[in-house]
Amino acid sequence: MFERPRRGELAILLHVGLGEAPDADQQQEFRALADAAEAEIAGELSARLREVNPRTLIGTGKLAELAALAEQTGASLLLVDHPLTPGQERNLERELKLRVVNRTGLILDIFALRARTFEGKLQVELAQLRHLSTRLVRGWTHLERQKGGIGLRGPGETQLETDRRLLARRIKQLQARLERLGKRRALSAQRRRKRDLATVSLVGYTNAGKSTLFNRLTEAGVVAADQLFATLDPTLRRIELPDGTPCVLADTVGFIRDLPHELVAAFHSTLEESRGARLLLHVVDCTDEEVEQRIADVDVVLRQIGADHLPVVQVFNKIDILGAGPRVDRAETGMPSRVWVSATTGDGIESLLGVISEYLHQELVRGTVRLGVTQARLRSLLYDAGQVLNEQELKDGGWELDVELDRQGYEQLRRREDLKLIVPDDDARRAVLN
């Protein structure tokens, strides 16, 4: 009978490329992920696949190489930089007598290691359970033999079904708790909007220097280290811009290529801090050879969380390493599009603060919106996109909202949602409510 190997930290890395050799940059990132998970790398193997083996992902030749490498190094863990089906994981473990973890499982393990707050721990547990729910059969191989035979029919399947029900119940409990915490977070954001406190959110690829920049701007003392996902839990601090304008700066979890959808779903409430921001500061490591790919990867995640409509300023960090000077690049519209800074030395920070102030003081559109009972979604979007100064419920069940939006946000809602705004000097604004 096959028994699952115990957890081990001495690991072999398997890099997989489909139709071509594994990308060198992706291999380096996977090594960094293994290091962040505190694994000791005992050896590495690359596999170029013409087609995926549905049973074990790789062919028998690579399996033999892995088995020999595991015996030679004494490794007890195989980390695979490629998605694996539950069956492939189970078959690889049987063949190699190693514990097998794919890229998604590795990232989930790092998040479990780094979560510090109550909400962060709940989010990680939810993501892990969602991932585990599709792989539950792996841990019950001792019961699989009981699926057939006189006197042995039923118990194995009953145990599996019981475990699935317990798993589903725990997932439901976690979702309910996170929903309550999300409502509290939404209320806090609403209070900030009522106090006219705009939120500026730092986003970017993991290890781009977001936390170092956050510390430079706020003196918050957030953990900043040269490793992937050094900080996980979101941090918010109030800062004052050079012109005296207060705002809230939010530091969020770093993004990564192919961010597991389980994490995007579980951390949705945390990522709301980015979606509800007035401005996104996209922190970019300007020394990264794959800088354009990193920017594209972050843009994908922003689309996933519904934050791609927000104004973005790219903050090219680490100019001290690049040997460049601080500067501000502007788009054809005249607004800043890119700021070159060094979070470590402080070069360009004053220019960055000036850019933030410029965006927060750009032209605002104020007016009144009347919504019917069927336009609850647009009402929610207005709360997300700007400041609702006042709201009255109409007799027919609709709403009248006094709102303040930046010009770009207003234009987007006008085009996408057919938003009709009554300007303050319009006599209709003061019409008697129906």
Side-chain angles (χ1 to χ4, degrees):
M1 181 178 65
F2 168 70
E3 298 290 346
R4 289 200 62 196
R6 291 178 296 175
R7 179 182 177 87
E9 303 301 335
L10 191 61
I12 294 174
L13 307 188
L14 176 61
H15 307 283
V16 178
L18 291 178
E20 58 185 7
D23 179 75
D25 178 68
Q26 191 166 344
Q27 290 185 49
Q28 181 56 40
E29 181 177 271
F30 196 58
R31 293 186 196 103
L33 285 172
D35 181 66
E38 300 182 357
E40 182 182 348
I41 301 176
E44 299 182 52
L45 193 65
S46 296
R48 177 179 178 179
L49 305 181
R50 293 181 179 177
E51 58 183 17
V52 172
N53 185 322
R55 184 175 178 276
T56 57
L57 178 68
I58 56 178
T60 55
K62 286 297 179 182
L63 273 175
E65 288 184 52
L66 281 173
L69 185 58
E71 184 177 356
Q72 176 186 345
T73 60
S76 55
L77 174 65
L78 175 65
L79 301 177
V80 182
D81 190 11
H82 193 276
L84 291 173
T85 66
Q88 287 170 339
E89 284 190 22
R90 184 171 64 249
N91 293 330
L92 282 171
E93 289 184 344
R94 281 197 178 112
E95 294 288 340
L96 300 171
K97 302 298 187 291
L98 299 174
R99 182 169 178 264
V100 176
V101 177
N102 67 1
R103 178 187 173 87
T104 298
L106 180 60
I107 294 176
L108 290 173
D109 188 79
I110 297 170
F111 272 53
L113 188 66
R114 301 283 164 74
R116 293 291 180 268
T117 65
F118 175 68
E119 184 177 12
K121 291 176 181 178
L122 288 181
Q123 289 169 326
V124 170
E125 183 181 355
L126 177 60
Q128 288 180 317
L129 291 180
R130 282 173 169 164
H131 181 67
L132 178 63
S133 63
T134 63
R135 287 159 163 75
L136 192 59
V137 69
R138 290 192 311 151
W140 295 96
T141 50
H142 64 291
L143 294 174
E144 288 180 356
R145 299 180 305 156
Q146 300 181 12
K147 290 183 179 178
I150 296 174
L152 294 176
R153 297 188 180 98
E157 292 175 321
T158 301
Q159 178 63 60
L160 286 173
E161 289 302 322
T162 300
D163 206 69
R164 288 192 182 102
R165 283 196 297 271
L166 292 174
L167 198 62
R169 185 183 305 168
R170 179 59 178 167
I171 288 175
K172 189 174 181 180
Q173 290 173 346
L174 291 173
Q175 288 173 327
R177 288 185 182 182
L178 287 171
E179 186 176 346
R180 289 194 294 269
L181 290 172
K183 289 179 179 178
R184 293 180 191 174
R185 189 184 296 279
L187 287 174
S188 297
Q190 186 175 342
R191 285 195 294 267
R192 290 199 299 270
R193 285 194 292 267
K194 286 183 177 180
R195 295 198 303 267
D196 200 21
L197 275 177
T199 299
V200 178
S201 182
L202 296 175
V203 298
Y205 210 81
T206 184
N207 210 28
K210 294 191 316 303
S211 295
T212 303
L213 180 60
F214 185 82
N215 288 335
R216 172 66 66 176
L217 294 171
T218 65
E219 299 180 357
V222 172
V223 175
D226 185 19
Q227 58 181 192
L228 304 187
F229 303 118
T231 52
L232 174 58
D233 300 304
T235 307
L236 284 78
R237 291 291 186 273
R238 175 175 171 149
I239 65 172
E240 192 169 291
L241 299 174
D243 62 1
T245 302
C247 69
V248 173
L249 193 67
D251 183 23
T252 57
V253 62
F255 302 154
I256 197 170
R257 175 194 294 143
D258 300 326
L259 189 67
H261 69 275
E262 292 96 339
L263 284 177
V264 174
F267 280 75
H268 190 268
S269 61
T270 299
L271 295 172
E272 286 285 337
E273 294 295 348
S274 295
R275 201 177 76 166
R278 180 83 68 83
L279 173 66
L280 298 181
L281 298 181
H282 180 175
V283 184
V284 179
D285 180 357
C286 65
T287 66
D288 196 325
E289 295 180 357
E290 299 290 329
V291 61
E292 294 301 328
Q293 181 60 50
R294 298 286 184 260
I295 292 173
D297 291 334
V298 171
D299 289 342
V300 168
V301 180
L302 290 177
R303 283 195 295 272
Q304 286 179 313
I305 65 175
D308 55 320
H309 66 285
L310 298 172
V312 178
V313 173
Q314 293 178 349
V315 181
F316 270 44
N317 187 30
K318 306 184 183 180
I319 60 173
D320 53 313
I321 300 175
L322 195 63
R327 72 174 192 266
V328 176
D329 299 337
R330 293 182 177 270
E332 294 180 358
T333 59
M335 293 299 292
S337 60
R338 182 174 294 177
V339 186
W340 297 72
V341 306
S342 170
T344 301
T345 66
D347 290 341
I349 295 300
E350 287 300 320
S351 297
L352 176 59
L353 291 171
V355 166
I356 295 173
S357 181
E358 187 173 347
Y359 264 92
L360 296 187
H361 287 91
Q362 66 180 319
E363 182 182 2
L364 296 176
V365 177
R366 295 179 179 86
T368 299
V369 180
R370 287 182 179 177
L371 304 177
V373 292
T374 61
Q375 295 179 289
R377 178 177 177 274
L378 180 53
R379 175 175 174 266
S380 177
L381 289 174
L382 286 169
Y383 271 98
D384 288 341
Q387 183 180 7
V388 177
L389 305 174
N390 185 47
E391 178 182 286
Q392 296 184 59
E393 188 170 339
L394 303 177
K395 292 181 180 180
D396 64 359
W399 306 272
E400 181 179 87
L401 293 81
D402 294 330
V403 298
E404 181 180 81
L405 306 169
D406 63 76
R407 173 65 64 178
Q408 181 180 6
Y410 164 68
E411 292 296 338
Q412 288 177 339
L413 286 176
R414 184 181 63 81
R415 291 193 302 268
R416 288 166 46 187
E417 304 293 335
D418 194 26
L419 176 66
K420 293 181 175 59
L421 192 70
I422 306 171
V423 295
D425 58 354
D426 192 333
D427 293 338
R429 182 192 182 285
R430 297 303 178 188
V432 179
L433 302 182
N434 296 327

